[in-house]
Every structure is written in structure tokens, then in C-alpha cells.
Amino acid sequence: QVQLVESGGGLVQAGASLRLFCAATGRTFSTYAMGWFRQTTGNEREFFASIGTTNTYYADSVKGRFTISRDSAKKTAYLQMNSLKPEDTAIYYCAAESITRWVVNPRVLNDYWGQGTQVTVSS
């Protein structure tokens, strides 16, 4: 069993940076790929970044601005967000998927979810 807890969200101005954290419990963190999704009111949850052991995958919408990373010793995944735009405003969720399934489709992470953290970017 894995539990995920996001933190680091907040209110920032356009152009600023923000770093999100996803802390995991459980002894098998290294066997899971980690990913980030976001959701705005009335829209479906959108995938935009994931990481396996070291390899990463990004949606075009965030490529070059966002960086996903992980520290297995700390059981934590990170999302560094730079050059934030008002359209990045959303609830951000982290998710985990068994690495053996994730390699088939790095956009699908559905084994475990965090509760979400709000990111608001003002213009």
C-alpha cells in the first residue's frame, strides 16, 4: 500500500516558479513510477509529467518549463514549475503506477493518488 501527500502549492504571480512535493509512504516506492496531473473546474484530469527509475515523459504543454524528479531515499517526487502562466492554475495531483505497467504507457498512472494541492497563478 502506498499513500501520497502533495504539498507546495500556493498563489504566485505569472512568471514565478513553484516546487511541488509528493511524499509517499510504504516500502516499495522504488517500484512505482510517479506522475503529475492537474485539473480545473469542469475539466478532466490532465496528465503532464511522469518519471520511471530515471527516464521522464512530458506533455507538450509543459515541456521546457516543468521538470519532474524523484528521490527514492526520501520517497518523494518533485515537480519544479518555472515561468508559470495563469493557465497553469489548477489542482495538482501526484499519482503512482507500477513501473512494469508504466513503461507500456507513461501517460497512465492509476494505482495510487494524492489528495491534490492548489496552484493559482495570477496575471
mmCIF file of all heavy atoms in Angstrom, residues 92-113:
data_model
loop_
_atom_site.group_PDB
_atom_site.id
_atom_site.type_symbol
_atom_site.label_atom_id
_atom_site.label_comp_id
_atom_site.label_asym_id
_atom_site.label_seq_id
_atom_site.Cartn_x
_atom_site.Cartn_y
_atom_site.Cartn_z
ATOM 1 N N TYR A 92 -3.320 20.315 -8.524
ATOM 2 C CA TYR A 92 -2.278 19.415 -8.993
ATOM 3 C C TYR A 92 -2.270 18.146 -8.141
ATOM 4 O O TYR A 92 -2.256 18.212 -6.913
ATOM 5 C CB TYR A 92 -0.914 20.112 -8.929
ATOM 6 C CG TYR A 92 -0.713 21.084 -10.062
ATOM 7 C CD1 TYR A 92 -1.481 22.245 -10.146
ATOM 8 C CD2 TYR A 92 0.216 20.843 -11.068
ATOM 9 C CE1 TYR A 92 -1.325 23.129 -11.199
ATOM 10 C CE2 TYR A 92 0.382 21.730 -12.123
ATOM 11 C CZ TYR A 92 -0.396 22.861 -12.173
ATOM 12 O OH TYR A 92 -0.237 23.748 -13.227
ATOM 13 N N TYR A 93 -2.271 17.016 -8.833
ATOM 14 C CA TYR A 93 -2.301 15.714 -8.175
ATOM 15 C C TYR A 93 -1.063 14.908 -8.551
ATOM 16 O O TYR A 93 -0.641 14.928 -9.715
ATOM 17 C CB TYR A 93 -3.521 14.916 -8.616
ATOM 18 C CG TYR A 93 -4.848 15.519 -8.273
ATOM 19 C CD1 TYR A 93 -5.483 16.396 -9.131
ATOM 20 C CD2 TYR A 93 -5.488 15.188 -7.070
ATOM 21 C CE1 TYR A 93 -6.712 16.946 -8.823
ATOM 22 C CE2 TYR A 93 -6.727 15.734 -6.757
ATOM 23 C CZ TYR A 93 -7.331 16.610 -7.634
ATOM 24 O OH TYR A 93 -8.546 17.158 -7.313
ATOM 25 N N CYS A 94 -0.519 14.181 -7.595
ATOM 26 C CA CYS A 94 0.502 13.201 -7.955
ATOM 27 C C CYS A 94 -0.130 11.816 -7.942
ATOM 28 O O CYS A 94 -1.141 11.584 -7.272
ATOM 29 C CB CYS A 94 1.716 13.269 -7.044
ATOM 30 S SG CYS A 94 1.477 12.676 -5.379
ATOM 31 N N ALA A 95 0.468 10.922 -8.696
ATOM 32 C CA ALA A 95 -0.063 9.575 -8.841
ATOM 33 C C ALA A 95 1.093 8.594 -8.988
ATOM 34 O O ALA A 95 2.205 8.973 -9.365
ATOM 35 C CB ALA A 95 -0.977 9.484 -10.059
ATOM 36 N N ALA A 96 0.808 7.334 -8.703
ATOM 37 C CA ALA A 96 1.818 6.279 -8.804
ATOM 38 C C ALA A 96 1.277 5.109 -9.609
ATOM 39 O O ALA A 96 0.078 4.805 -9.551
ATOM 40 C CB ALA A 96 2.241 5.812 -7.412
ATOM 41 N N GLU A 97 2.153 4.484 -10.343
ATOM 42 C CA GLU A 97 1.797 3.314 -11.138
ATOM 43 C C GLU A 97 2.978 2.354 -11.120
ATOM 44 O O GLU A 97 4.137 2.774 -11.204
ATOM 45 C CB GLU A 97 1.495 3.726 -12.585
ATOM 46 C CG GLU A 97 1.145 2.601 -13.532
ATOM 47 C CD GLU A 97 -0.298 2.138 -13.377
ATOM 48 O OE1 GLU A 97 -1.088 2.849 -12.749
ATOM 49 O OE2 GLU A 97 -0.627 1.066 -13.927
ATOM 50 N N SER A 98 2.682 1.071 -11.041
ATOM 51 C CA SER A 98 3.753 0.080 -11.111
ATOM 52 C C SER A 98 4.621 0.338 -12.339
ATOM 53 O O SER A 98 4.102 0.536 -13.445
ATOM 54 C CB SER A 98 3.156 -1.319 -11.192
ATOM 55 O OG SER A 98 4.150 -2.270 -11.526
ATOM 56 N N ILE A 99 5.930 0.351 -12.154
ATOM 57 C CA ILE A 99 6.828 0.660 -13.265
ATOM 58 C C ILE A 99 6.648 -0.319 -14.422
ATOM 59 O O ILE A 99 6.750 0.058 -15.599
ATOM 60 C CB ILE A 99 8.285 0.695 -12.785
ATOM 61 C CG1 ILE A 99 8.555 2.015 -12.056
ATOM 62 C CG2 ILE A 99 9.258 0.508 -13.929
ATOM 63 C CD1 ILE A 99 9.984 2.195 -11.603
ATOM 64 N N THR A 100 6.360 -1.580 -14.123
ATOM 65 C CA THR A 100 6.220 -2.577 -15.189
ATOM 66 C C THR A 100 5.025 -2.267 -16.096
ATOM 67 O O THR A 100 5.052 -2.610 -17.280
ATOM 68 C CB THR A 100 6.076 -3.983 -14.603
ATOM 69 O OG1 THR A 100 4.970 -4.004 -13.703
ATOM 70 C CG2 THR A 100 7.336 -4.391 -13.866
ATOM 71 N N ARG A 101 3.995 -1.622 -15.557
ATOM 72 C CA ARG A 101 2.864 -1.203 -16.388
ATOM 73 C C ARG A 101 3.116 0.172 -17.002
ATOM 74 O O ARG A 101 2.729 0.436 -18.141
ATOM 75 C CB ARG A 101 1.576 -1.186 -15.573
ATOM 76 C CG ARG A 101 1.049 -2.562 -15.211
ATOM 77 C CD ARG A 101 -0.349 -2.498 -14.661
ATOM 78 N NE ARG A 101 -0.398 -1.788 -13.396
ATOM 79 C CZ ARG A 101 -0.215 -2.351 -12.210
ATOM 80 N NH1 ARG A 101 0.024 -3.636 -12.140
ATOM 81 N NH2 ARG A 101 -0.285 -1.632 -11.108
ATOM 82 N N TRP A 102 3.784 1.032 -16.249
ATOM 83 C CA TRP A 102 4.024 2.400 -16.711
ATOM 84 C C TRP A 102 4.835 2.425 -18.008
ATOM 85 O O TRP A 102 4.594 3.278 -18.867
ATOM 86 C CB TRP A 102 4.758 3.173 -15.624
ATOM 87 C CG TRP A 102 5.178 4.551 -16.024
ATOM 88 C CD1 TRP A 102 4.406 5.670 -16.061
ATOM 89 C CD2 TRP A 102 6.492 4.953 -16.450
ATOM 90 N NE1 TRP A 102 5.155 6.753 -16.483
ATOM 91 C CE2 TRP A 102 6.432 6.343 -16.718
ATOM 92 C CE3 TRP A 102 7.694 4.286 -16.623
ATOM 93 C CZ2 TRP A 102 7.544 7.063 -17.152
ATOM 94 C CZ3 TRP A 102 8.797 4.999 -17.055
ATOM 95 C CH2 TRP A 102 8.716 6.368 -17.314
ATOM 96 N N VAL A 103 5.771 1.512 -18.181
ATOM 97 C CA VAL A 103 6.621 1.527 -19.375
ATOM 98 C C VAL A 103 5.802 1.281 -20.654
ATOM 99 O O VAL A 103 6.233 1.647 -21.749
ATOM 100 C CB VAL A 103 7.773 0.504 -19.284
ATOM 101 C CG1 VAL A 103 8.723 0.895 -18.159
ATOM 102 C CG2 VAL A 103 7.271 -0.907 -19.102
ATOM 103 N N VAL A 104 4.630 0.674 -20.501
ATOM 104 C CA VAL A 104 3.767 0.429 -21.657
ATOM 105 C C VAL A 104 3.123 1.745 -22.105
ATOM 106 O O VAL A 104 3.003 2.012 -23.306
ATOM 107 C CB VAL A 104 2.693 -0.623 -21.319
ATOM 108 C CG1 VAL A 104 1.739 -0.807 -22.489
ATOM 109 C CG2 VAL A 104 3.349 -1.938 -20.926
ATOM 110 N N ASN A 105 2.699 2.544 -21.127
ATOM 111 C CA ASN A 105 2.097 3.844 -21.443
ATOM 112 C C ASN A 105 2.431 4.823 -20.334
ATOM 113 O O ASN A 105 1.801 4.811 -19.277
ATOM 114 C CB ASN A 105 0.586 3.730 -21.591
ATOM 115 C CG ASN A 105 -0.055 5.019 -22.081
ATOM 116 O OD1 ASN A 105 0.553 6.094 -22.011
ATOM 117 N ND2 ASN A 105 -1.271 4.934 -22.562
ATOM 118 N N PRO A 106 3.432 5.686 -20.536
ATOM 119 C CA PRO A 106 3.877 6.594 -19.468
ATOM 120 C C PRO A 106 2.885 7.708 -19.141
ATOM 121 O O PRO A 106 3.144 8.512 -18.247
ATOM 122 C CB PRO A 106 5.181 7.166 -20.020
ATOM 123 C CG PRO A 106 5.073 7.024 -21.491
ATOM 124 C CD PRO A 106 4.262 5.791 -21.730
ATOM 125 N N ARG A 107 1.749 7.770 -19.837
ATOM 126 C CA ARG A 107 0.730 8.765 -19.534
ATOM 127 C C ARG A 107 -0.332 8.213 -18.577
ATOM 128 O O ARG A 107 -1.209 8.945 -18.127
ATOM 129 C CB ARG A 107 0.040 9.218 -20.817
ATOM 130 C CG ARG A 107 0.979 9.815 -21.856
ATOM 131 C CD ARG A 107 0.233 10.136 -23.143
ATOM 132 N NE ARG A 107 -0.735 11.184 -22.956
ATOM 133 C CZ ARG A 107 -0.487 12.479 -23.121
ATOM 134 N NH1 ARG A 107 0.729 12.863 -23.482
ATOM 135 N NH2 ARG A 107 -1.425 13.373 -22.943
ATOM 136 N N VAL A 108 -0.255 6.925 -18.293
ATOM 137 C CA VAL A 108 -1.259 6.292 -17.427
ATOM 138 C C VAL A 108 -0.640 5.972 -16.075
ATOM 139 O O VAL A 108 0.318 5.188 -15.987
ATOM 140 C CB VAL A 108 -1.807 4.996 -18.058
ATOM 141 C CG1 VAL A 108 -2.747 4.293 -17.083
ATOM 142 C CG2 VAL A 108 -2.530 5.316 -19.359
ATOM 143 N N LEU A 109 -1.154 6.603 -15.029
ATOM 144 C CA LEU A 109 -0.753 6.315 -13.653
ATOM 145 C C LEU A 109 -2.023 6.283 -12.830
ATOM 146 O O LEU A 109 -2.694 7.317 -12.693
ATOM 147 C CB LEU A 109 0.219 7.372 -13.107
ATOM 148 C CG LEU A 109 1.549 7.441 -13.858
ATOM 149 C CD1 LEU A 109 1.515 8.580 -14.867
ATOM 150 C CD2 LEU A 109 2.704 7.625 -12.892
ATOM 151 N N ASN A 110 -2.343 5.135 -12.283
ATOM 152 C CA ASN A 110 -3.660 4.997 -11.670
ATOM 153 C C ASN A 110 -3.688 4.117 -10.431
ATOM 154 O O ASN A 110 -4.754 3.882 -9.881
ATOM 155 C CB ASN A 110 -4.624 4.423 -12.716
ATOM 156 C CG ASN A 110 -6.045 4.838 -12.466
ATOM 157 O OD1 ASN A 110 -6.309 5.936 -11.994
ATOM 158 N ND2 ASN A 110 -6.964 3.958 -12.764
ATOM 159 N N ASP A 111 -2.533 3.633 -9.968
ATOM 160 C CA ASP A 111 -2.557 2.757 -8.789
ATOM 161 C C ASP A 111 -2.889 3.518 -7.517
ATOM 162 O O ASP A 111 -3.670 3.047 -6.681
ATOM 163 C CB ASP A 111 -1.199 2.053 -8.634
ATOM 164 C CG ASP A 111 -1.015 0.929 -9.638
ATOM 165 O OD1 ASP A 111 -2.003 0.563 -10.313
ATOM 166 O OD2 ASP A 111 0.113 0.420 -9.757
ATOM 167 N N TYR A 112 -2.270 4.680 -7.349
ATOM 168 C CA TYR A 112 -2.487 5.490 -6.144
ATOM 169 C C TYR A 112 -2.519 6.962 -6.521
ATOM 170 O O TYR A 112 -1.818 7.386 -7.453
ATOM 171 C CB TYR A 112 -1.369 5.249 -5.122
ATOM 172 C CG TYR A 112 -1.260 3.822 -4.665
ATOM 173 C CD1 TYR A 112 -0.289 2.983 -5.200
ATOM 174 C CD2 TYR A 112 -2.143 3.303 -3.716
ATOM 175 C CE1 TYR A 112 -0.188 1.666 -4.805
ATOM 176 C CE2 TYR A 112 -2.046 1.981 -3.314
ATOM 177 C CZ TYR A 112 -1.077 1.173 -3.859
ATOM 178 O OH TYR A 112 -0.982 -0.143 -3.468
ATOM 179 N N TRP A 113 -3.313 7.719 -5.743
ATOM 180 C CA TRP A 113 -3.458 9.154 -5.969
ATOM 181 C C TRP A 113 -3.298 9.917 -4.666
ATOM 182 O O TRP A 113 -3.687 9.415 -3.601
ATOM 183 C CB TRP A 113 -4.838 9.470 -6.539
ATOM 184 C CG TRP A 113 -5.021 9.024 -7.951
ATOM 185 C CD1 TRP A 113 -5.486 7.822 -8.388
ATOM 186 C CD2 TRP A 113 -4.736 9.787 -9.127
ATOM 187 N NE1 TRP A 113 -5.515 7.783 -9.755
ATOM 188 C CE2 TRP A 113 -5.059 8.978 -10.242
ATOM 189 C CE3 TRP A 113 -4.244 11.070 -9.348
ATOM 190 C CZ2 TRP A 113 -4.907 9.418 -11.560
ATOM 191 C CZ3 TRP A 113 -4.091 11.502 -10.660
ATOM 192 C CH2 TRP A 113 -4.421 10.685 -11.743
#
